[in-house]
Amino acid sequence: MSDTKSVNSAASNSTTPPKGNSTPASEPTGNIVPTSYVGDFMSFLKGILSFTGDLSALTCPAFLLNGISLLEYGAHWNDYPHVLAEITKAKDPEERMRRVARWFVSTLYGSYNKRVAESNSGEKKPFNPILGEQFLASWDDPEFGQTKFICEQVSHHPPVSAFFFENANAGIYGSGHFSQKSKFKGTSMKVVQEGRVTLRMKGTDEIYCLTLPNLNICSILSGKPFLEMSSTTFIRSSKGYTAEFQWYTKPMLYGEYHKFDGKIFKDDAVAYVPNGSSQEAIYTIKGRWVADSRITNVKTGEQDVFFDVSAQPAAEINIKPVEQQSLLESRRVWHKVSEALANGDYDVASREKTAIEEEQRALRKERAEANVEWKPSMFVWVEDADDDEAVKTCYSYLYPAKDSIGTGSWVFKTSPHMKAPSSRTTPSASGTQTPSDAFSTAPSSVV
């Protein structure tokens, strides 16, 4: 039995995923602030406008919470599991890069726009995951079988989420991690996403290294916030192919939301240089990441649809019912808070959220007094210097242009490429419970 509620509507009473995708061309019209809480909202705004540090340190009022954990957002890497699996059908490295780039674009709508598009209401804030929190899910595809996903909160200060996904039938899998730092800039919030994703396939020695976009949260002051992507992101393959994407925010007086340009080129240089002389252009890509985009072969001029969000709905996600989840799984952790939010009982939601946070503070104090170091149960940190040569080379190429990738990766301990799982460090006692077996390979936490 599985819970098939949309990741984007965990606080909703409906368990039926949407039949299609909506892609509004403008700002949402629905205000996320209940009428009786306008005064509280204005006080909250004054606080964040005068705050100079990372905004994630501020406590968000319950009426601005969306009822799901930030860990669940990582599941959107698998919204279209067949697009991920189809990468392995490519005949050569150039075609594989094209398919990897297409898969990356397919993950964006669910990650950054779907919640607003389907509700026509502003973006709300997810829960900050507790240390050691886990989210497990899967998707079924008639051709490629099951894709599995697991995410764990591996650090609280700073907050870092690590994840792993795999389609064993297709022989493709990846590990990644993300962390967000936010601050106000003008009337919008600037979110820098730190982290990376490393994609591997069992049938080839190639790897693909991906960076993450920055975000602008717009229209906060009006109570109708929504996300725009900004900055440049890259995909680098160990065979020398690079995909580069430029994400555009809408100009103030004209233009469209959510536009982007991209290109795929071969580059044998050891480090990325903008428009470098060693770059051999292969494809250009143009469109809107919330709608459709087209790809053009530079040599032939031939055009084709790259990815179309509206062509089919995202795959249905499978999540165990709350009562079957372990004590550390997201929907079990936040169940009472989400239930109160769904009922509009914000006072109860605040109390339940505070109780969770106070329990976490007590656990941190206990570990500090006992001089016990907490370690993640499912992921291990690997510095680039200690990783495969292909990983070092790819991220070294990208680092001058995208230092937010850092110098190492959180890797799933039993990922297929980890050759000696028995030699890795066993997690220290952490107060965690055994996770659900959505992955038969998921190691148990130590009680």
Side-chain angles (χ1 to χ4, degrees), residues 112-134:
Y112 306 122
N113 187 257
K114 186 176 182 180
R115 293 172 294 276
V116 169
E118 291 183 348
S119 67
N120 199 25
S121 183
E123 184 81 58
K124 289 190 173 184
K125 184 182 182 299
F127 301 131
N128 292 329
I130 65 171
L131 187 64
E133 182 179 322
Q134 301 155 4

Side-chain angles (χ1 to χ4, degrees), residues 321-342:
V322 170
E323 62 272 14
Q324 295 181 20
Q325 295 185 9
S326 77
L327 296 180
L328 274 178
E329 289 186 64
S330 295
R331 295 191 179 182
R332 182 81 175 268
V333 171
W334 300 102
H335 174 65
K336 292 182 180 179
V337 187
S338 296
E339 192 174 63
L341 291 173

Side-chain angles (χ1 to χ4, degrees), residues 33 379 389:
V33 183
F379 291 84
E389 189 63 33

Side-chain angles (χ1 to χ4, degrees), residues 398-426:
L398 294 173
Y399 192 83
K402 197 78 175 179
D403 59 6
S404 60
I405 60 177
T407 59
S409 303
W410 282 102
V411 180
F412 190 54
K413 290 182 177 180
T414 51
S415 177
H417 76 286
M418 299 287 277
K419 297 178 181 178
S422 60
S423 66
R424 291 190 299 276
T425 304
T426 301

Side-chain angles (χ1 to χ4, degrees), residues 13-91:
N13 292 326
S14 171
T15 60
T16 304
K19 300 298 182 183
N21 295 322
S22 303
T23 54
S26 58
E27 301 180 22
T29 59
N31 198 302
I32 62 173
V33 183
T35 304
S36 57
Y37 286 86
V38 171
D40 298 272
F41 179 62
M42 297 306 296
S43 298
F44 175 67
L45 285 180
K46 290 178 182 178
I48 61 177
L49 287 171
S50 60
F51 192 74
T52 56
D54 182 5
L55 291 173
S56 63
L58 290 177
T59 299
C60 184
F63 59 85
L64 296 180
L65 299 172
N66 67 6
I68 63 175
S69 172
L70 181 63
L71 289 193
E72 297 202 26
Y73 284 29
H76 292 297
W77 287 97
N78 302 283
D79 275 350
Y80 297 89
H82 69 283
V83 178
L84 171 68
E86 284 173 350
I87 294 169
T88 61
K89 287 191 169 185
K91 302 300 183 183

Side-chain angles (χ1 to χ4, degrees), residues 152 372-383 386 410-414 418-430 442-446:
E152 180 179 17
V372 172
E373 180 186 2
W374 184 91
K375 293 184 179 180
S377 66
M378 299 184 187
F379 291 84
V380 62
W381 177 257
V382 179
E383 284 284 343
D386 301 321
W410 282 102
V411 180
F412 190 54
K413 290 182 177 180
T414 51
M418 299 287 277
K419 297 178 181 178
S422 60
S423 66
R424 291 190 299 276
T425 304
T426 301
S428 300
S430 58
S444 299
S445 302
V446 177

